[in-house]
């Protein structure tokens, strides 16, 4: 078990604190880059998260590298993330990459709570606020491309105060330097919004930042023959290996229900959309590694908000979305 470093009441851990090649004082005498392939980097991130004695914390923030690679995918599937904050710049090229990242997190059931646009503007000595990317820092156009509400976009200036705080290791929110009112206000507004969204999520509400749709499970309801509607994002899947079937439990604001799913019904569906594989070629392509008469015993593992991993008796593993599981149980999306 690793113990985090604590600074001003905030616990933190980084590969730089434990790698002998990081150059961080106390970590080792060597310096250099920590070169590793995607799968290894994913294991390091999850090990730092799960192998650290965090104690009791209110919020755990993970500063992730850019991109949509192994690290992001592994974290989203191994952890139940409450939400994400996208950090980018107002340029169209950067926004295009940010949009891909938001789409990936959305497809894995993780909502984007807010977007932060660094270097949106600067204030020169001659007076006035200047937007090098045009308009109001690109917020209006980016709100559409990033699929984030305009009120959830925060503009950070090119700021000597922020740069000095980073260089000195003294957070600007603690040092509160004179003349940094705009920067402090932006950080405070961002923190207020994220904490509000997390509070709503904790108490079962629907987030304003979530757009719904079949790529985002929050807000999706599933219905069976009864009138009651159930939350598609909170289902529980277990394997009844003795009876060679799956048990799916659905919950609503006032009750719950349970459905049994035959292994063939689940394996015969598209793992993401839940649509039935209608033709022989498609079915053969999806299930060629499986013997339908020998699907059990099966092993189940929750994969964040996205769904469940099913390891069949053959050893093959598929990850099924919540949507796919709902449809295999006979639910209708409403």
């Amino acid at each position: 078990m690793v113990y985090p470093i604590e600074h001003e009441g905030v616990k933190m851990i980084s590969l730089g604190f434990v790698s002998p090649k990081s150059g961080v004082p106390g970590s080792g005498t060597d310096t250099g880059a920590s070169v590793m392939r995607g799968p290894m980097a994913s294991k390091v991130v999850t090990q730092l998260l799960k192998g650290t004695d965090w104690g009791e914390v209110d919020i755990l923030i993970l500063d992730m590298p850019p991109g949509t690679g192994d690290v992001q995918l592994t974290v989203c599937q191994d952890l139940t993330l409450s939400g994400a904050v996208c950090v980018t710049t107002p340029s169209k090229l950067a926004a295009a990459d940010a949009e891909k990242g938001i789409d990936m997190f959305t497809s894995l059931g993780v909502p984007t709570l807010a977007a932060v646009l660094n270097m949106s503007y600067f204030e020169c000595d001659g007076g006035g606020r200047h937007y090098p990317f045009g308009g109001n820092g690109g917020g209006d156009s980016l709100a559409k491309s990033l699929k984030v509400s305009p009120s959830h976009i925060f503009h950070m200036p090119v700021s000597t105060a922020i740069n000095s705080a980073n260089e000195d290791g003294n957070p600007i929110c603690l040092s509160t330097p004179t003349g940094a009112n705009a920067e402090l206000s932006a950080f405070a507004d961002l923190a207020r919004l994220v904490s509000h969204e997390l509070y709503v999520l904790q108490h079962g509400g629907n987030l304003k930042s979530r757009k719904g749709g079949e790529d985002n499970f929050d807000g999706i309801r599933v219905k069976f023959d009864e009138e009651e509607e159930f939350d598609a994002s909170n289902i529980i899947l277990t394997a009844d290996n003795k009876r060679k079937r799956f048990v799916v439990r659905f919950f609503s604001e006032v009750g719950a229900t349970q459905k049994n799913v035959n292994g063939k019904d689940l394996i015969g569906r598209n793992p993401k959309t839940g649509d039935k594989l209608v033709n022989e070629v498609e079915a053969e392509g999806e299930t060629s590694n499986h013997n339908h008469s020998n699907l059990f015993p099966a092993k189940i593992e929750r994969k964040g908000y996205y769904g469940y991993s099913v390891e069949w008796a053959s050893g093959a593993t598929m990850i099924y979305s919540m949507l796919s599981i709902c449809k295999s149980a006979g639910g209708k999306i409403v």
Side-chain angles (χ1 to χ4, degrees):
M1 186 65 69
V2 178
Y3 293 94
I5 293 175
E6 187 168 338
H7 178 69
E8 298 291 346
V10 177
K11 299 175 182 178
M12 50 189 166
I13 193 70
S14 170
L15 178 61
F17 298 161
V18 297
S19 172
K21 293 186 177 182
S22 66
V24 175
S27 65
T29 57
D30 298 331
T31 60
S34 296
V35 181
M36 59 186 72
R37 296 185 183 275
M40 180 60 69
S42 302
K43 291 181 179 179
V44 169
V45 172
T46 53
Q47 184 177 1
L48 287 176
L49 282 169
K50 296 181 178 181
T52 300
D53 185 4
W54 295 107
E56 293 187 8
V57 294
D58 297 318
I59 298 174
L60 183 62
I61 299 175
L62 173 60
D63 184 11
M64 299 182 68
T68 55
D70 289 332
V71 174
Q72 292 81 1
L73 181 61
T74 300
V75 168
C76 288
Q77 292 181 344
D78 285 358
L79 302 174
T80 304
L81 302 179
S82 299
V85 175
C86 172
V87 181
T88 183
T89 66
S91 71
K92 292 182 178 179
L93 183 59
D97 287 337
E99 183 178 358
K100 295 176 183 177
I102 290 177
D103 288 342
M104 186 205 74
F105 275 88
T106 300
S107 68
L108 294 172
V110 180
T112 298
L113 307 180
V116 177
L117 304 183
N118 284 330
M119 300 185 292
S120 290
Y121 65 90
F122 65 91
E123 295 179 353
C124 66
D125 295 337
R129 181 174 290 187
H130 302 271
Y131 295 91
F133 296 97
N136 64 340
D140 292 339
S141 59
L142 288 175
K144 291 183 178 180
S145 63
L146 297 182
K147 303 180 181 68
V148 177
S149 170
S151 62
H152 290 225
I153 294 181
F154 297 87
H155 301 268
M156 293 294 176
V158 178
S159 167
T160 56
I162 294 178
N163 182 67
S164 298
N166 292 337
E167 295 291 336
D168 298 338
N170 189 17
I172 189 174
C173 297
L174 294 179
S175 61
T176 60
T178 304
N181 293 334
E183 295 92 325
L184 292 170
S185 177
F187 278 116
D189 291 342
L190 173 63
R192 191 176 300 111
L193 172 74
V194 172
S195 60
H196 174 268
E197 295 284 79
L198 293 177
Y199 178 84
V200 171
L201 177 66
Q202 182 181 5
H203 290 81
N206 291 332
L207 301 183
K208 295 179 180 179
S209 56
R210 294 195 182 189
K211 300 299 182 180
E214 292 198 350
D215 276 340
N216 198 334
F217 309 117
D218 184 81
I220 292 183
R221 317 294 289 179
V222 60
K223 189 175 181 181
F224 299 94
D225 294 335
E226 56 266 30
E227 292 297 323
E228 193 173 354
E229 296 180 0
F230 300 91
D231 185 356
S233 65
N234 291 326
I235 65 176
I236 296 178
L237 177 70
T238 57
D240 185 351
N241 289 316
K242 185 177 181 179
R243 295 181 174 86
K244 297 185 177 182
R245 67 186 184 186
F246 296 100
V247 178
V248 190
R249 295 179 176 88
F250 298 85
F251 302 90
S252 69
E253 290 79 3
V254 295
T257 189
Q258 176 175 302
K259 302 294 181 181
N260 296 323
V261 177
N262 186 289
K264 294 181 181 179
D265 292 335
L266 182 60
I267 204 173
R269 292 182 179 271
N270 183 296
K272 181 178 180 180
T273 66
D275 296 334
K276 288 186 176 181
L277 304 177
V278 293
N279 59 68
E280 292 298 328
V281 175
E282 185 178 10
E284 183 179 349
E286 291 287 342
T287 64
S288 58
N289 293 327
H290 305 285
N291 180 355
H292 282 197
S293 63
N294 187 27
L295 299 177
F296 294 89
K299 298 179 181 179
I300 303 294
E301 182 181 356
R302 177 79 181 246
K303 289 296 183 181
Y305 280 114
Y306 180 75
Y308 285 84
S309 168
V310 178
E311 181 182 346
W312 302 98
S314 64
T317 301
M318 297 292 291
I319 298 177
Y320 295 92
S321 69
M322 297 296 191
L323 188 67
S324 179
I325 297 170
C326 287
K327 291 182 178 180
S328 68
K332 296 180 180 179
I333 306 302
V334 295

